[in-house]
Amino acid sequence: MRSMAMSTREAAVTSVTYVPSRRPRALAWWSGAASVVLLGLVAARWEPLTATDRAVADATHASAVDSPVLVRISLVLTDWVWDPWTMRAFVAVAAVVLWRRGERWVAGRLAAVAVGAAVAQQALKAVVGRDRPRWPDPVDSAHFAAFPSGHAMTAAVTCGLLWWAAAVAGRRTAATGATRPRRAAAAGPASVRWAAAAAAASVRRAAGRMSARTVAVVGAVSAVGVGLTRVYLGVHWLSDVVGGWLMGACLAAAAAAVPVRLAATGRAARRP
């Protein structure tokens, strides 16, 4: 009877539902609204916007022509480090790792949003059909239409998704750690085992928060950095990059705003 009761308690905590705060929902709404407004202005060829784009493009291109070293660095970053396929590879690896850890819902959402973002990006490029900047002395070249920037959009949605996955993993650790002190107290001398288990749980929660913050910082640098390289290399207008940032942030925030089921105790809880 006692072992059956313990199995019942363990089964009860093998999954929890992670309910996010209101911030992702608000970010999704605001970035989505801003994306729609910017899309309308680009489609209408609003003169103040096109003038700003041209002024920024002229200034950055003049600087790039005179700075071959910075151009080479920017090419390495944009074509390899922050390339859309590199970003998608990060999502694929994260999805596989989460799937193997039993986080099927989180892994599935990562993959679905990443694929959806790629499809939406190409569809918008085809519909808007905006020309890229053209130069008599280009320092780089690119294919397909300009709006939105695929590099900026992919970086924004990828980094947002990875931050969300790291935050969810931290919540899973907290849920797992919350059950372990109770088991330790029931297994032996209460004071020592409880203190050790509680301390270990605190360390795991702190590590989870640190991991999410690290992903957030690296992701922000990557998303901003790749957008700036696209403008600097003269293959995108500034509004292309801003549109990519907004749309990527909208998709990532929308994914993070929906509650998700977590496997609270992981593989260890499924062992007999």
PDB file of all heavy atoms in Angstrom, residues 71-109:
ATOM      1  N   VAL A  71      33.776  45.132 -43.496  1.00  0.00           N
ATOM      2  CA  VAL A  71      32.922  44.400 -44.433  1.00  0.00           C
ATOM      3  C   VAL A  71      33.187  42.904 -44.326  1.00  0.00           C
ATOM      4  O   VAL A  71      32.247  42.097 -44.282  1.00  0.00           O
ATOM      5  CB  VAL A  71      33.156  44.895 -45.875  1.00  0.00           C
ATOM      6  CG1 VAL A  71      32.503  43.941 -46.883  1.00  0.00           C
ATOM      7  CG2 VAL A  71      32.585  46.297 -46.045  1.00  0.00           C
ATOM      8  N   ARG A  72      34.453  42.504 -44.256  1.00  0.00           N
ATOM      9  CA  ARG A  72      34.774  41.072 -44.149  1.00  0.00           C
ATOM     10  C   ARG A  72      34.243  40.487 -42.837  1.00  0.00           C
ATOM     11  O   ARG A  72      33.713  39.368 -42.808  1.00  0.00           O
ATOM     12  CB  ARG A  72      36.286  40.867 -44.267  1.00  0.00           C
ATOM     13  CG  ARG A  72      36.813  40.991 -45.690  1.00  0.00           C
ATOM     14  CD  ARG A  72      38.217  40.417 -45.805  1.00  0.00           C
ATOM     15  NE  ARG A  72      39.184  41.255 -45.109  1.00  0.00           N
ATOM     16  CZ  ARG A  72      39.839  42.274 -45.652  1.00  0.00           C
ATOM     17  NH1 ARG A  72      39.622  42.580 -46.929  1.00  0.00           N
ATOM     18  NH2 ARG A  72      40.716  42.975 -44.950  1.00  0.00           N
ATOM     19  N   ILE A  73      34.393  41.242 -41.756  1.00  0.00           N
ATOM     20  CA  ILE A  73      33.862  40.780 -40.467  1.00  0.00           C
ATOM     21  C   ILE A  73      32.342  40.634 -40.545  1.00  0.00           C
ATOM     22  O   ILE A  73      31.768  39.641 -40.081  1.00  0.00           O
ATOM     23  CB  ILE A  73      34.265  41.740 -39.335  1.00  0.00           C
ATOM     24  CG1 ILE A  73      35.777  41.715 -39.127  1.00  0.00           C
ATOM     25  CG2 ILE A  73      33.538  41.385 -38.044  1.00  0.00           C
ATOM     26  CD1 ILE A  73      36.273  42.759 -38.148  1.00  0.00           C
ATOM     27  N   SER A  74      31.693  41.626 -41.146  1.00  0.00           N
ATOM     28  CA  SER A  74      30.234  41.582 -41.272  1.00  0.00           C
ATOM     29  C   SER A  74      29.788  40.410 -42.131  1.00  0.00           C
ATOM     30  O   SER A  74      28.766  39.765 -41.843  1.00  0.00           O
ATOM     31  CB  SER A  74      29.719  42.900 -41.864  1.00  0.00           C
ATOM     32  OG  SER A  74      30.017  43.996 -41.020  1.00  0.00           O
ATOM     33  N   LEU A  75      30.548  40.100 -43.169  1.00  0.00           N
ATOM     34  CA  LEU A  75      30.195  38.976 -44.030  1.00  0.00           C
ATOM     35  C   LEU A  75      30.285  37.652 -43.283  1.00  0.00           C
ATOM     36  O   LEU A  75      29.428  36.775 -43.439  1.00  0.00           O
ATOM     37  CB  LEU A  75      31.105  38.957 -45.257  1.00  0.00           C
ATOM     38  CG  LEU A  75      30.839  40.029 -46.322  1.00  0.00           C
ATOM     39  CD1 LEU A  75      31.940  40.032 -47.370  1.00  0.00           C
ATOM     40  CD2 LEU A  75      29.482  39.811 -46.979  1.00  0.00           C
ATOM     41  N   VAL A  76      31.330  37.494 -42.471  1.00  0.00           N
ATOM     42  CA  VAL A  76      31.463  36.265 -41.685  1.00  0.00           C
ATOM     43  C   VAL A  76      30.288  36.134 -40.712  1.00  0.00           C
ATOM     44  O   VAL A  76      29.691  35.062 -40.565  1.00  0.00           O
ATOM     45  CB  VAL A  76      32.804  36.255 -40.924  1.00  0.00           C
ATOM     46  CG1 VAL A  76      32.838  35.112 -39.928  1.00  0.00           C
ATOM     47  CG2 VAL A  76      33.960  36.141 -41.904  1.00  0.00           C
ATOM     48  N   LEU A  77      29.947  37.229 -40.057  1.00  0.00           N
ATOM     49  CA  LEU A  77      28.858  37.184 -39.085  1.00  0.00           C
ATOM     50  C   LEU A  77      27.518  36.897 -39.749  1.00  0.00           C
ATOM     51  O   LEU A  77      26.741  36.050 -39.285  1.00  0.00           O
ATOM     52  CB  LEU A  77      28.787  38.507 -38.323  1.00  0.00           C
ATOM     53  CG  LEU A  77      29.947  38.803 -37.369  1.00  0.00           C
ATOM     54  CD1 LEU A  77      29.835  40.230 -36.819  1.00  0.00           C
ATOM     55  CD2 LEU A  77      29.963  37.802 -36.224  1.00  0.00           C
ATOM     56  N   THR A  78      27.234  37.584 -40.839  1.00  0.00           N
ATOM     57  CA  THR A  78      25.912  37.451 -41.449  1.00  0.00           C
ATOM     58  C   THR A  78      25.751  36.180 -42.271  1.00  0.00           C
ATOM     59  O   THR A  78      24.642  35.631 -42.377  1.00  0.00           O
ATOM     60  CB  THR A  78      25.613  38.681 -42.327  1.00  0.00           C
ATOM     61  OG1 THR A  78      24.217  38.737 -42.635  1.00  0.00           O
ATOM     62  CG2 THR A  78      26.398  38.664 -43.621  1.00  0.00           C
ATOM     63  N   ASP A  79      26.861  35.683 -42.858  1.00  0.00           N
ATOM     64  CA  ASP A  79      26.780  34.501 -43.727  1.00  0.00           C
ATOM     65  C   ASP A  79      27.021  33.196 -42.992  1.00  0.00           C
ATOM     66  O   ASP A  79      26.672  32.123 -43.513  1.00  0.00           O
ATOM     67  CB  ASP A  79      27.798  34.613 -44.872  1.00  0.00           C
ATOM     68  CG  ASP A  79      27.419  35.704 -45.865  1.00  0.00           C
ATOM     69  OD1 ASP A  79      26.243  36.100 -45.876  1.00  0.00           O
ATOM     70  OD2 ASP A  79      28.304  36.157 -46.619  1.00  0.00           O
ATOM     71  N   TRP A  80      27.611  33.256 -41.774  1.00  0.00           N
ATOM     72  CA  TRP A  80      27.933  32.029 -41.052  1.00  0.00           C
ATOM     73  C   TRP A  80      27.382  32.025 -39.632  1.00  0.00           C
ATOM     74  O   TRP A  80      26.573  31.164 -39.278  1.00  0.00           O
ATOM     75  CB  TRP A  80      29.454  31.818 -41.032  1.00  0.00           C
ATOM     76  CG  TRP A  80      30.015  31.580 -42.384  1.00  0.00           C
ATOM     77  CD1 TRP A  80      30.591  32.500 -43.223  1.00  0.00           C
ATOM     78  CD2 TRP A  80      30.032  30.343 -43.096  1.00  0.00           C
ATOM     79  NE1 TRP A  80      30.965  31.920 -44.408  1.00  0.00           N
ATOM     80  CE2 TRP A  80      30.638  30.584 -44.356  1.00  0.00           C
ATOM     81  CE3 TRP A  80      29.616  29.053 -42.788  1.00  0.00           C
ATOM     82  CZ2 TRP A  80      30.823  29.583 -45.300  1.00  0.00           C
ATOM     83  CZ3 TRP A  80      29.804  28.046 -43.725  1.00  0.00           C
ATOM     84  CH2 TRP A  80      30.389  28.316 -44.968  1.00  0.00           C
ATOM     85  N   VAL A  81      27.819  32.963 -38.836  1.00  0.00           N
ATOM     86  CA  VAL A  81      27.438  32.953 -37.417  1.00  0.00           C
ATOM     87  C   VAL A  81      25.946  33.176 -37.241  1.00  0.00           C
ATOM     88  O   VAL A  81      25.272  32.447 -36.497  1.00  0.00           O
ATOM     89  CB  VAL A  81      28.245  34.009 -36.638  1.00  0.00           C
ATOM     90  CG1 VAL A  81      27.846  33.997 -35.158  1.00  0.00           C
ATOM     91  CG2 VAL A  81      29.739  33.758 -36.788  1.00  0.00           C
ATOM     92  N   TRP A  82      25.409  34.186 -37.916  1.00  0.00           N
ATOM     93  CA  TRP A  82      23.992  34.546 -37.746  1.00  0.00           C
ATOM     94  C   TRP A  82      23.154  34.221 -38.978  1.00  0.00           C
ATOM     95  O   TRP A  82      22.054  34.774 -39.154  1.00  0.00           O
ATOM     96  CB  TRP A  82      23.872  36.040 -37.426  1.00  0.00           C
ATOM     97  CG  TRP A  82      24.477  36.418 -36.108  1.00  0.00           C
ATOM     98  CD1 TRP A  82      24.497  35.662 -34.979  1.00  0.00           C
ATOM     99  CD2 TRP A  82      25.142  37.646 -35.779  1.00  0.00           C
ATOM    100  NE1 TRP A  82      25.114  36.342 -33.959  1.00  0.00           N
ATOM    101  CE2 TRP A  82      25.526  37.552 -34.414  1.00  0.00           C
ATOM    102  CE3 TRP A  82      25.433  38.814 -36.480  1.00  0.00           C
ATOM    103  CZ2 TRP A  82      26.196  38.588 -33.755  1.00  0.00           C
ATOM    104  CZ3 TRP A  82      26.103  39.842 -35.836  1.00  0.00           C
ATOM    105  CH2 TRP A  82      26.479  39.728 -34.489  1.00  0.00           C
ATOM    106  N   ASP A  83      23.629  33.355 -39.819  1.00  0.00           N
ATOM    107  CA  ASP A  83      22.861  32.966 -40.999  1.00  0.00           C
ATOM    108  C   ASP A  83      21.546  32.304 -40.571  1.00  0.00           C
ATOM    109  O   ASP A  83      21.492  31.612 -39.540  1.00  0.00           O
ATOM    110  CB  ASP A  83      23.678  31.971 -41.830  1.00  0.00           C
ATOM    111  CG  ASP A  83      22.958  31.569 -43.088  1.00  0.00           C
ATOM    112  OD1 ASP A  83      22.937  32.356 -44.040  1.00  0.00           O
ATOM    113  OD2 ASP A  83      22.399  30.441 -43.110  1.00  0.00           O
ATOM    114  N   PRO A  84      20.451  32.504 -41.321  1.00  0.00           N
ATOM    115  CA  PRO A  84      19.179  31.875 -40.946  1.00  0.00           C
ATOM    116  C   PRO A  84      19.260  30.369 -40.765  1.00  0.00           C
ATOM    117  O   PRO A  84      18.608  29.807 -39.868  1.00  0.00           O
ATOM    118  CB  PRO A  84      18.255  32.255 -42.106  1.00  0.00           C
ATOM    119  CG  PRO A  84      18.789  33.562 -42.595  1.00  0.00           C
ATOM    120  CD  PRO A  84      20.275  33.453 -42.446  1.00  0.00           C
ATOM    121  N   TRP A  85      20.053  29.687 -41.579  1.00  0.00           N
ATOM    122  CA  TRP A  85      20.146  28.236 -41.417  1.00  0.00           C
ATOM    123  C   TRP A  85      20.915  27.861 -40.159  1.00  0.00           C
ATOM    124  O   TRP A  85      20.640  26.818 -39.550  1.00  0.00           O
ATOM    125  CB  TRP A  85      20.785  27.614 -42.658  1.00  0.00           C
ATOM    126  CG  TRP A  85      19.839  27.605 -43.813  1.00  0.00           C
ATOM    127  CD1 TRP A  85      19.893  28.389 -44.923  1.00  0.00           C
ATOM    128  CD2 TRP A  85      18.670  26.794 -43.950  1.00  0.00           C
ATOM    129  NE1 TRP A  85      18.833  28.118 -45.750  1.00  0.00           N
ATOM    130  CE2 TRP A  85      18.064  27.138 -45.178  1.00  0.00           C
ATOM    131  CE3 TRP A  85      18.074  25.816 -43.154  1.00  0.00           C
ATOM    132  CZ2 TRP A  85      16.897  26.539 -45.630  1.00  0.00           C
ATOM    133  CZ3 TRP A  85      16.900  25.217 -43.605  1.00  0.00           C
ATOM    134  CH2 TRP A  85      16.329  25.577 -44.832  1.00  0.00           C
ATOM    135  N   THR A  86      21.859  28.699 -39.756  1.00  0.00           N
ATOM    136  CA  THR A  86      22.533  28.461 -38.482  1.00  0.00           C
ATOM    137  C   THR A  86      21.532  28.596 -37.339  1.00  0.00           C
ATOM    138  O   THR A  86      21.519  27.774 -36.402  1.00  0.00           O
ATOM    139  CB  THR A  86      23.681  29.460 -38.290  1.00  0.00           C
ATOM    140  OG1 THR A  86      24.601  29.355 -39.383  1.00  0.00           O
ATOM    141  CG2 THR A  86      24.418  29.201 -36.985  1.00  0.00           C
ATOM    142  N   MET A  87      20.705  29.626 -37.410  1.00  0.00           N
ATOM    143  CA  MET A  87      19.699  29.843 -36.379  1.00  0.00           C
ATOM    144  C   MET A  87      18.703  28.684 -36.329  1.00  0.00           C
ATOM    145  O   MET A  87      18.332  28.200 -35.244  1.00  0.00           O
ATOM    146  CB  MET A  87      18.955  31.159 -36.641  1.00  0.00           C
ATOM    147  CG  MET A  87      19.819  32.398 -36.498  1.00  0.00           C
ATOM    148  SD  MET A  87      20.287  32.653 -34.772  1.00  0.00           S
ATOM    149  CE  MET A  87      21.464  33.992 -34.922  1.00  0.00           C
ATOM    150  N   ARG A  88      18.280  28.223 -37.483  1.00  0.00           N
ATOM    151  CA  ARG A  88      17.332  27.103 -37.511  1.00  0.00           C
ATOM    152  C   ARG A  88      17.975  25.820 -36.979  1.00  0.00           C
ATOM    153  O   ARG A  88      17.289  24.985 -36.372  1.00  0.00           O
ATOM    154  CB  ARG A  88      16.826  26.902 -38.933  1.00  0.00           C
ATOM    155  CG  ARG A  88      15.924  28.036 -39.413  1.00  0.00           C
ATOM    156  CD  ARG A  88      15.660  27.994 -40.892  1.00  0.00           C
ATOM    157  NE  ARG A  88      14.959  29.200 -41.323  1.00  0.00           N
ATOM    158  CZ  ARG A  88      15.146  29.795 -42.491  1.00  0.00           C
ATOM    159  NH1 ARG A  88      16.010  29.278 -43.366  1.00  0.00           N
ATOM    160  NH2 ARG A  88      14.487  30.894 -42.802  1.00  0.00           N
ATOM    161  N   ALA A  89      19.276  25.679 -37.202  1.00  0.00           N
ATOM    162  CA  ALA A  89      19.972  24.517 -36.658  1.00  0.00           C
ATOM    163  C   ALA A  89      19.957  24.546 -35.133  1.00  0.00           C
ATOM    164  O   ALA A  89      19.801  23.506 -34.477  1.00  0.00           O
ATOM    165  CB  ALA A  89      21.407  24.471 -37.178  1.00  0.00           C
ATOM    166  N   PHE A  90      20.124  25.742 -34.539  1.00  0.00           N
ATOM    167  CA  PHE A  90      20.046  25.866 -33.085  1.00  0.00           C
ATOM    168  C   PHE A  90      18.673  25.420 -32.575  1.00  0.00           C
ATOM    169  O   PHE A  90      18.563  24.722 -31.565  1.00  0.00           O
ATOM    170  CB  PHE A  90      20.311  27.311 -32.652  1.00  0.00           C
ATOM    171  CG  PHE A  90      21.755  27.711 -32.692  1.00  0.00           C
ATOM    172  CD1 PHE A  90      22.136  28.917 -33.240  1.00  0.00           C
ATOM    173  CD2 PHE A  90      22.737  26.875 -32.186  1.00  0.00           C
ATOM    174  CE1 PHE A  90      23.469  29.296 -33.273  1.00  0.00           C
ATOM    175  CE2 PHE A  90      24.072  27.240 -32.215  1.00  0.00           C
ATOM    176  CZ  PHE A  90      24.446  28.455 -32.768  1.00  0.00           C
ATOM    177  N   VAL A  91      17.623  25.850 -33.271  1.00  0.00           N
ATOM    178  CA  VAL A  91      16.272  25.455 -32.870  1.00  0.00           C
ATOM    179  C   VAL A  91      16.096  23.945 -32.997  1.00  0.00           C
ATOM    180  O   VAL A  91      15.503  23.297 -32.123  1.00  0.00           O
ATOM    181  CB  VAL A  91      15.216  26.197 -33.714  1.00  0.00           C
ATOM    182  CG1 VAL A  91      13.820  25.667 -33.422  1.00  0.00           C
ATOM    183  CG2 VAL A  91      15.265  27.688 -33.437  1.00  0.00           C
ATOM    184  N   ALA A  92      16.617  23.372 -34.091  1.00  0.00           N
ATOM    185  CA  ALA A  92      16.486  21.928 -34.294  1.00  0.00           C
ATOM    186  C   ALA A  92      17.190  21.154 -33.187  1.00  0.00           C
ATOM    187  O   ALA A  92      16.639  20.180 -32.651  1.00  0.00           O
ATOM    188  CB  ALA A  92      17.059  21.546 -35.659  1.00  0.00           C
ATOM    189  N   VAL A  93      18.389  21.583 -32.814  1.00  0.00           N
ATOM    190  CA  VAL A  93      19.122  20.905 -31.741  1.00  0.00           C
ATOM    191  C   VAL A  93      18.361  21.026 -30.423  1.00  0.00           C
ATOM    192  O   VAL A  93      18.211  20.042 -29.676  1.00  0.00           O
ATOM    193  CB  VAL A  93      20.540  21.489 -31.608  1.00  0.00           C
ATOM    194  CG1 VAL A  93      21.224  20.964 -30.349  1.00  0.00           C
ATOM    195  CG2 VAL A  93      21.366  21.149 -32.838  1.00  0.00           C
ATOM    196  N   ALA A  94      17.877  22.233 -30.131  1.00  0.00           N
ATOM    197  CA  ALA A  94      17.119  22.429 -28.894  1.00  0.00           C
ATOM    198  C   ALA A  94      15.864  21.562 -28.873  1.00  0.00           C
ATOM    199  O   ALA A  94      15.520  20.966 -27.842  1.00  0.00           O
ATOM    200  CB  ALA A  94      16.749  23.895 -28.729  1.00  0.00           C
ATOM    201  N   ALA A  95      15.178  21.462 -30.016  1.00  0.00           N
ATOM    202  CA  ALA A  95      13.962  20.654 -30.075  1.00  0.00           C
ATOM    203  C   ALA A  95      14.267  19.177 -29.846  1.00  0.00           C
ATOM    204  O   ALA A  95      13.528  18.484 -29.134  1.00  0.00           O
ATOM    205  CB  ALA A  95      13.271  20.849 -31.430  1.00  0.00           C
ATOM    206  N   VAL A  96      15.357  18.692 -30.422  1.00  0.00           N
ATOM    207  CA  VAL A  96      15.732  17.284 -30.230  1.00  0.00           C
ATOM    208  C   VAL A  96      16.076  17.017 -28.769  1.00  0.00           C
ATOM    209  O   VAL A  96      15.646  16.009 -28.183  1.00  0.00           O
ATOM    210  CB  VAL A  96      16.914  16.916 -31.151  1.00  0.00           C
ATOM    211  CG1 VAL A  96      17.465  15.541 -30.785  1.00  0.00           C
ATOM    212  CG2 VAL A  96      16.476  16.933 -32.605  1.00  0.00           C
ATOM    213  N   VAL A  97      16.847  17.909 -28.160  1.00  0.00           N
ATOM    214  CA  VAL A  97      17.229  17.726 -26.756  1.00  0.00           C
ATOM    215  C   VAL A  97      15.992  17.724 -25.864  1.00  0.00           C
ATOM    216  O   VAL A  97      15.841  16.870 -24.979  1.00  0.00           O
ATOM    217  CB  VAL A  97      18.206  18.837 -26.322  1.00  0.00           C
ATOM    218  CG1 VAL A  97      18.423  18.799 -24.814  1.00  0.00           C
ATOM    219  CG2 VAL A  97      19.535  18.671 -27.042  1.00  0.00           C
ATOM    220  N   LEU A  98      15.081  18.658 -26.091  1.00  0.00           N
ATOM    221  CA  LEU A  98      13.860  18.730 -25.285  1.00  0.00           C
ATOM    222  C   LEU A  98      12.991  17.494 -25.496  1.00  0.00           C
ATOM    223  O   LEU A  98      12.392  16.975 -24.551  1.00  0.00           O
ATOM    224  CB  LEU A  98      13.093  20.002 -25.627  1.00  0.00           C
ATOM    225  CG  LEU A  98      13.720  21.304 -25.134  1.00  0.00           C
ATOM    226  CD1 LEU A  98      13.075  22.498 -25.814  1.00  0.00           C
ATOM    227  CD2 LEU A  98      13.596  21.426 -23.617  1.00  0.00           C
ATOM    228  N   TRP A  99      12.909  17.044 -26.724  1.00  0.00           N
ATOM    229  CA  TRP A  99      12.115  15.841 -27.017  1.00  0.00           C
ATOM    230  C   TRP A  99      12.661  14.631 -26.269  1.00  0.00           C
ATOM    231  O   TRP A  99      11.908  13.860 -25.676  1.00  0.00           O
ATOM    232  CB  TRP A  99      12.120  15.588 -28.519  1.00  0.00           C
ATOM    233  CG  TRP A  99      11.218  14.458 -28.948  1.00  0.00           C
ATOM    234  CD1 TRP A  99      11.514  13.128 -28.949  1.00  0.00           C
ATOM    235  CD2 TRP A  99       9.871  14.565 -29.420  1.00  0.00           C
ATOM    236  NE1 TRP A  99      10.454  12.395 -29.398  1.00  0.00           N
ATOM    237  CE2 TRP A  99       9.421  13.250 -29.694  1.00  0.00           C
ATOM    238  CE3 TRP A  99       9.022  15.631 -29.652  1.00  0.00           C
ATOM    239  CZ2 TRP A  99       8.151  12.995 -30.196  1.00  0.00           C
ATOM    240  CZ3 TRP A  99       7.749  15.379 -30.151  1.00  0.00           C
ATOM    241  CH2 TRP A  99       7.325  14.074 -30.404  1.00  0.00           C
ATOM    242  N   ARG A 100      13.994  14.490 -26.267  1.00  0.00           N
ATOM    243  CA  ARG A 100      14.606  13.354 -25.588  1.00  0.00           C
ATOM    244  C   ARG A 100      14.450  13.454 -24.065  1.00  0.00           C
ATOM    245  O   ARG A 100      14.455  12.435 -23.376  1.00  0.00           O
ATOM    246  CB  ARG A 100      16.090  13.273 -25.962  1.00  0.00           C
ATOM    247  CG  ARG A 100      16.325  12.843 -27.407  1.00  0.00           C
ATOM    248  CD  ARG A 100      17.814  12.869 -27.739  1.00  0.00           C
ATOM    249  NE  ARG A 100      18.558  11.947 -26.891  1.00  0.00           N
ATOM    250  CZ  ARG A 100      18.711  10.657 -27.137  1.00  0.00           C
ATOM    251  NH1 ARG A 100      18.167  10.122 -28.227  1.00  0.00           N
ATOM    252  NH2 ARG A 100      19.417   9.892 -26.326  1.00  0.00           N
ATOM    253  N   ARG A 101      14.297  14.655 -23.556  1.00  0.00           N
ATOM    254  CA  ARG A 101      14.075  14.842 -22.121  1.00  0.00           C
ATOM    255  C   ARG A 101      12.611  14.663 -21.735  1.00  0.00           C
ATOM    256  O   ARG A 101      12.258  14.788 -20.572  1.00  0.00           O
ATOM    257  CB  ARG A 101      14.542  16.236 -21.687  1.00  0.00           C
ATOM    258  CG  ARG A 101      16.045  16.430 -21.717  1.00  0.00           C
ATOM    259  CD  ARG A 101      16.419  17.827 -21.318  1.00  0.00           C
ATOM    260  NE  ARG A 101      15.910  18.159 -19.997  1.00  0.00           N
ATOM    261  CZ  ARG A 101      16.007  19.374 -19.454  1.00  0.00           C
ATOM    262  NH1 ARG A 101      16.581  20.363 -20.135  1.00  0.00           N
ATOM    263  NH2 ARG A 101      15.531  19.604 -18.249  1.00  0.00           N
ATOM    264  N   GLY A 102      11.763  14.393 -22.705  1.00  0.00           N
ATOM    265  CA  GLY A 102      10.353  14.189 -22.428  1.00  0.00           C
ATOM    266  C   GLY A 102       9.501  15.425 -22.595  1.00  0.00           C
ATOM    267  O   GLY A 102       8.285  15.368 -22.383  1.00  0.00           O
ATOM    268  N   GLU A 103      10.099  16.548 -22.985  1.00  0.00           N
ATOM    269  CA  GLU A 103       9.344  17.792 -23.164  1.00  0.00           C
ATOM    270  C   GLU A 103       8.804  17.858 -24.589  1.00  0.00           C
ATOM    271  O   GLU A 103       9.215  18.692 -25.401  1.00  0.00           O
ATOM    272  CB  GLU A 103      10.240  18.998 -22.859  1.00  0.00           C
ATOM    273  CG  GLU A 103      10.843  19.009 -21.475  1.00  0.00           C
ATOM    274  CD  GLU A 103       9.790  19.160 -20.385  1.00  0.00           C
ATOM    275  OE1 GLU A 103       8.610  19.365 -20.704  1.00  0.00           O
ATOM    276  OE2 GLU A 103      10.159  19.056 -19.205  1.00  0.00           O
ATOM    277  N   ARG A 104       7.856  16.985 -24.892  1.00  0.00           N
ATOM    278  CA  ARG A 104       7.353  16.877 -26.266  1.00  0.00           C
ATOM    279  C   ARG A 104       6.577  18.123 -26.694  1.00  0.00           C
ATOM    280  O   ARG A 104       6.666  18.545 -27.845  1.00  0.00           O
ATOM    281  CB  ARG A 104       6.455  15.634 -26.374  1.00  0.00           C
ATOM    282  CG  ARG A 104       7.141  14.341 -25.913  1.00  0.00           C
ATOM    283  CD  ARG A 104       8.268  13.941 -26.847  1.00  0.00           C
ATOM    284  NE  ARG A 104       9.051  12.818 -26.366  1.00  0.00           N
ATOM    285  CZ  ARG A 104       8.723  11.548 -26.533  1.00  0.00           C
ATOM    286  NH1 ARG A 104       7.590  11.229 -27.135  1.00  0.00           N
ATOM    287  NH2 ARG A 104       9.532  10.591 -26.094  1.00  0.00           N
ATOM    288  N   TRP A 105       5.819  18.700 -25.769  1.00  0.00           N
ATOM    289  CA  TRP A 105       5.024  19.887 -26.120  1.00  0.00           C
ATOM    290  C   TRP A 105       5.918  21.085 -26.421  1.00  0.00           C
ATOM    291  O   TRP A 105       5.672  21.833 -27.378  1.00  0.00           O
ATOM    292  CB  TRP A 105       4.055  20.215 -24.998  1.00  0.00           C
ATOM    293  CG  TRP A 105       2.970  19.209 -24.826  1.00  0.00           C
ATOM    294  CD1 TRP A 105       2.941  18.154 -23.962  1.00  0.00           C
ATOM    295  CD2 TRP A 105       1.740  19.142 -25.557  1.00  0.00           C
ATOM    296  NE1 TRP A 105       1.787  17.429 -24.101  1.00  0.00           N
ATOM    297  CE2 TRP A 105       1.015  18.021 -25.079  1.00  0.00           C
ATOM    298  CE3 TRP A 105       1.182  19.909 -26.575  1.00  0.00           C
ATOM    299  CZ2 TRP A 105      -0.226  17.664 -25.586  1.00  0.00           C
ATOM    300  CZ3 TRP A 105      -0.065  19.555 -27.073  1.00  0.00           C
ATOM    301  CH2 TRP A 105      -0.748  18.439 -26.580  1.00  0.00           C
ATOM    302  N   VAL A 106       6.934  21.274 -25.611  1.00  0.00           N
ATOM    303  CA  VAL A 106       7.853  22.394 -25.825  1.00  0.00           C
ATOM    304  C   VAL A 106       8.624  22.198 -27.131  1.00  0.00           C
ATOM    305  O   VAL A 106       8.749  23.127 -27.939  1.00  0.00           O
ATOM    306  CB  VAL A 106       8.821  22.530 -24.638  1.00  0.00           C
ATOM    307  CG1 VAL A 106       9.786  23.693 -24.867  1.00  0.00           C
ATOM    308  CG2 VAL A 106       8.060  22.730 -23.336  1.00  0.00           C
ATOM    309  N   ALA A 107       9.140  20.994 -27.352  1.00  0.00           N
ATOM    310  CA  ALA A 107       9.893  20.713 -28.571  1.00  0.00           C
ATOM    311  C   ALA A 107       9.028  20.899 -29.816  1.00  0.00           C
ATOM    312  O   ALA A 107       9.471  21.490 -30.811  1.00  0.00           O
ATOM    313  CB  ALA A 107      10.442  19.290 -28.524  1.00  0.00           C
ATOM    314  N   GLY A 108       7.799  20.414 -29.757  1.00  0.00           N
ATOM    315  CA  GLY A 108       6.906  20.556 -30.895  1.00  0.00           C
ATOM    316  C   GLY A 108       6.586  22.002 -31.207  1.00  0.00           C
ATOM    317  O   GLY A 108       6.520  22.399 -32.376  1.00  0.00           O
ATOM    318  N   ARG A 109       6.405  22.799 -30.155  1.00  0.00           N
ATOM    319  CA  ARG A 109       6.109  24.215 -30.393  1.00  0.00           C
ATOM    320  C   ARG A 109       7.310  24.931 -30.987  1.00  0.00           C
ATOM    321  O   ARG A 109       7.157  25.774 -31.885  1.00  0.00           O
ATOM    322  CB  ARG A 109       5.668  24.893 -29.103  1.00  0.00           C
ATOM    323  CG  ARG A 109       5.112  26.296 -29.329  1.00  0.00           C
ATOM    324  CD  ARG A 109       4.585  26.915 -28.060  1.00  0.00           C
ATOM    325  NE  ARG A 109       3.497  26.121 -27.480  1.00  0.00           N
ATOM    326  CZ  ARG A 109       2.865  26.458 -26.359  1.00  0.00           C
ATOM    327  NH1 ARG A 109       3.229  27.547 -25.687  1.00  0.00           N
ATOM    328  NH2 ARG A 109       1.890  25.693 -25.902  1.00  0.00           N
TER     329      ARG A 109
END
